[in-house]
Amino acid sequence: MRVLKSLVLLFLLLVVRGSTVQLNNGGYEDIVIAINPGLPEDHNIIRNIQDMVKEASSYLFNATKQRFFFKAVKIIIPLHWLPKPEYLSVKTESYDKADVIVANPFLKYGDDPYTLQYGGCGEKGRYIHFTPDFLLNDNLYNIYGSRAKVFVHEWAHLRWGVFDEYNNDAPFYVSVNSGEASVEATRCSASVTGKYIVQSCTGNSCTTRECKYDAQTKLYEAGCKFVPDKTQNAPASIMYMQSLPSVVEFCDQSTHNEKATNMQNKMCNYHSTWEVIMNSPDFSNTSPINSTNPPNETSFSLLQTKDRVVCLVLDVSGSMTANNRIDRLYRSAEIFLLQIVEMGSWVGIVTFQSTAQIKINLQQIVSENVRQNLVNKLPTSADGGTNICDGVRKGFEVIKQKYSNLYGSEIVLLTDGEDGGMSSCLTEVGNSGSIIHTIALGPNAAPELEQFSNMTGGLRFYATDTVDSNGLIDAFSGISSGSGNISEQSIQLESIARSVAVKQWMNGTVTIDSTVGNDTFFVVTWDGITSPPDILLRDPKGKEYRTSDFTVSVLNLRTARLNIAGTAEVGDWYYWIQNNHTNSQVISMITTSRAASLAVPPVTVKALMNKDTNNFPNPMVIYAEVSQGFLPVLGATVMATVEPQTGSAVEIKLLDDGSGADITKNDGIYSKYFTSFKGNGRYNLKVRVQGKDKTVRLGRRQSQALYVPGYIENGEIKMNAPRPEVSDDEIQAKLGSFNRVASGGSFVVANVPSEGTTDVFPPCKIIDLEAQYEEDKIHLSWTAPGNDFDVGQAERYIIKMSESLLDLRNSFENATSLNTSSLVLNPAGTKESFQFKPEYFAIKNDTVIYFAICAVDNASLTSEVSNIAQVALFVTPKESSPDGSDIVKNDGVYSRYIYSFSENGRYNLKVCVQRANKTVRPHPTVP
């Protein structure tokens, strides 16, 4: 067991996200860049990826002060591209676990590179997305800068969990320096120079003018862009505008602009990007390298995917007879073989007890007959001990009967028992090149089981013996191909089980949306007598399917299955199922389908926890990403069910409102803290998503590389083409109503006190505090936190204010307090507001007041200090002079700052004045 525990630490990093990246003496190894299988063969993509990463390695090395570089990269080539001698086989790498994906955008929505980030400051991202056009079109250099610089920008998001230093939603802010206020572009560093320009285009003709001020916001008008000077002295920052030639650094403590209204400040408590990087495990585990260049040039491995190869390795030991486990195994594996595993896959079956046995060698699924032949080999009885390693080795043997190695193959390992000999095959498993997905069934499954999936990049599931949770069916339904070919994958639309009393009905609705409908199955299961319940299913056009239309397996007498021919009708399918048994029984409805069209990606759901292992009293976070293609789906109702090893399940509503655990509003990632720990051991996660036609809609990716509007070169404004925008009509394709169910796998919790827990969880940090100054009053608004993070209701608020942002951050308790005795608190997730007339300070021009808030619960536990909101008491310069040089309007004195100096020495000035009778007029003397 000592060997096993050491491997736990070794593979801890893999547990977090599935990434295989390793850091070795400053060099990042095993970076996986995967090309989407939907892309046509183009070897320029491979070549440009290699050029990008090589150049980026040197740029990263210098930007991190000779500390990090890119050492070894793996590029995954699609199966349909013609094989080449230099292409090796994938091992445990796959598209769905790649660090970088290359894929077309959905709806051709631009070529903005972006990194998908679920978590907060310092937490790793999910993946970087580049479009093929970004990699192939050199005309995009003026917009984003070199691909190498963009890659480093996105890598910082992915690896170190930093955020952008620009903000497309809040591009300007008011800053006070030396007692004078000015409107500034949201940027880092603040020393980046440029002009504020509005561009207007009619057809192919565009004109530019300087920006005006908005009387209401006191900022620049809508449509105003900050256009930087091409030639700068500012070396920072890569997270703002990496395209500038002078930019070679991340903002550090000396150059950081804490006043800028960007996500880096909001999420990282106003600390610089470099400070966050310095606090990362990468930084603490490396030292600077004494060299001006990376010690190694980046090496590349080209790996080509192959047909999916899966072997089921199933426990049939004596304990599988308990709690009807062997029957539930048959039922769940049957759904996998008939409905889930993709056409063209190779599948074999092994069973194990004290020894292992091959039930059927690899068969390629080319017809329904092959699927049924595999089902006929599923086990129906159980006896004997448990030898997990023997089962895994026998699974390897099945695969090697067809292939020379195990690379890229998959084992689905299910067991309900313990096995003290598991450590004997850990090294063999780790070196195999095979991916092992684990399913722990019941409370006594080997606690070491998940190490097999952790070390090979496999999925991990846990199913309790609670028969009305469908946990085992959901686990098998979640094991789809990781190839990235979503049109081939089965999608779970419904999975529900209920205990139904005698002669009572289980009624419900399954919505088939327009993105799915092919290969649609309705499956009804029950756990009582072998005869089926009375079933009525009605499609949207009124066609009815009765019990006699369903097929009952000869070997699996408690499952009835209906396969809808062709493409299922779009709309609501209603079902009524009556328990005709003499006793209550658990009845379930499971519905799966596939994409209706290769051209339209289906709505998908990815559910996961922020980590796979947790120590109490640390909270956890549940995430559900709902998307169509690469566009987020907004307005859905998302419910998560967490089932512990002991105790009842907990149901939680996930939100996409930019508060609590949800870092970004309307990004299609629904989130919530989880603190309802019922004890130590395994937990499983299941997410149900419902979209209603009138409320659900598509959104846009929000964290994207900065689209630079243009540059100023030698005093001349050179604008880039306006950023391509998709109209709301285009992006709001008729999504309609939909249902989805997804398993989020399992996680393990330790150190929960056996005698029960006290209140150890404070309210969560408020991250959406906003402030406005209207009619001599200051209005504050935020989303209410809970008693325990974002659940329940806080007891009171502490609101502070200061004229110094950093004093408020660093010495919150010493700042001026506001009287909040009149504030009535609301439950978590409710919008709170508070307004007051300033009495604590004299209102004067050119002043910025900063506000922050803490919440306190009934156990006197206090949240972290919120994000900091600001109110600017500021009279904007006159419209005639946005740069502020003309201090008095209509006084006959015309002014303009001059700052386009090309060299030292003398300059001469010439002024031309033209009088036009219709516009010129005398004016009284200005006092």
Side-chain angles (χ1 to χ4, degrees), residues 327-346:
D327 290 339
R328 290 161 53 212
L329 164 60
Y330 188 104
R331 181 184 300 166
S332 304
E334 181 183 47
I335 287 177
F336 176 78
L337 294 172
L338 294 180
Q339 302 170 217
I340 305 301
V341 69
E342 297 80 8
M343 192 67 76
S345 302
W346 293 83

Side-chain angles (χ1 to χ4, degrees), residues 473-605:
I473 289 174
D474 296 335
F476 273 100
S477 299
I479 306 176
S480 293
S481 166
S483 68
N485 196 339
I486 189 65
S487 63
E488 294 181 354
Q489 296 176 11
S490 178
I491 295 172
Q492 201 171 11
L493 308 184
E494 181 60 284
S495 175
I496 188 170
R498 292 178 187 161
S499 179
V500 182
V502 178
K503 299 302 180 185
Q504 295 302 302
W505 293 83
M506 173 179 165
N507 306 331
T509 306
V510 178
T511 302
I512 306 288
D513 60 276
S514 61
T515 70
V516 295
N518 286 343
D519 201 25
T520 302
F521 287 88
F522 289 87
V523 179
V524 177
T525 71
W526 59 97
D527 69 348
I529 58 174
T530 56
S531 60
D534 294 327
I535 307 169
L536 172 60
L537 175 68
R538 181 180 297 153
D539 78 6
K541 289 188 174 180
K543 181 178 179 179
E544 294 185 349
Y545 301 87
R546 302 278 180 172
T547 307
S548 58
D549 297 307
F550 285 69
T551 300
V552 178
S553 169
V554 175
L555 296 175
N556 185 12
L557 297 177
R558 293 179 178 85
T559 300
R561 177 175 283 98
L562 175 67
N563 185 9
I564 304 300
T567 303
E569 292 287 346
V570 173
D572 291 336
W573 290 64
Y574 299 96
Y575 62 86
W576 297 266
I577 307 172
Q578 185 182 38
N579 177 15
N580 53 21
H581 189 26
T582 55
N583 296 308
S584 297
Q585 63 177 337
V586 173
I587 297 175
S588 68
M589 167 64 82
I590 302 98
T591 308
T592 63
S593 189
R594 299 187 199 272
S597 167
L598 295 177
V600 180
V603 175
T604 58
V605 178

Side-chain angles (χ1 to χ4, degrees), residues 119-139:
C121 186
E123 296 184 40
K124 290 182 174 64
R126 299 293 296 169
Y127 60 79
I128 298 168
H129 178 196
F130 292 133
T131 68
D133 201 41
F134 170 79
L135 293 172
L136 297 173
N137 185 356
D138 292 343
N139 292 330

Side-chain angles (χ1 to χ4, degrees), residues 155-216:
W155 182 261
H157 283 306
L158 181 78
R159 186 69 187 183
W160 301 312
V162 299
F163 292 86
D164 290 325
E165 291 166 343
Y166 48 86
N167 188 339
N168 292 325
D169 293 327
F172 308 109
Y173 68 100
V174 176
S175 177
V176 175
N177 295 291
S178 302
E180 293 188 5
S182 61
V183 177
E184 299 288 341
T186 300
R187 66 197 190 278
C188 193
S189 69
S191 58
V192 175
T193 60
K195 292 182 178 180
Y196 298 93
I197 300 296
V198 170
Q199 183 181 40
S200 301
C201 295
T202 303
N204 295 324
S205 175
C206 294
T207 60
T208 60
R209 62 170 174 80
E210 294 183 336
C211 299
K212 300 178 181 179
Y213 292 96
D214 185 297
Q216 183 174 357

Side-chain angles (χ1 to χ4, degrees), residues 195 197 208 210 227 710-713 715-719:
K195 292 182 178 180
I197 300 296
T208 60
E210 294 183 336
V227 181
Y711 299 95
I712 300 172
E713 295 187 66
E716 181 183 354
I717 299 172
K718 297 181 178 180
M719 299 296 287

Side-chain angles (χ1 to χ4, degrees), residues 48-94:
N48 287 5
I49 288 173
Q50 293 172 329
D51 292 344
M52 174 183 72
V53 179
K54 285 179 182 178
E55 183 185 341
S57 184
S58 296
Y59 187 65
L60 178 68
F61 188 68
N62 292 314
T64 57
K65 307 181 190 339
Q66 291 74 46
R67 192 174 289 265
F68 304 119
F69 63 98
F70 298 121
K71 186 176 182 180
V73 173
K74 300 173 181 178
I75 301 177
I76 296 182
I77 311 297
L79 175 65
H80 69 86
W81 288 26
L82 293 177
K84 290 193 171 186
E86 61 266 31
Y87 291 173
L88 306 175
S89 177
V90 293
K91 293 183 180 178
T92 59
E93 307 86 4
S94 64

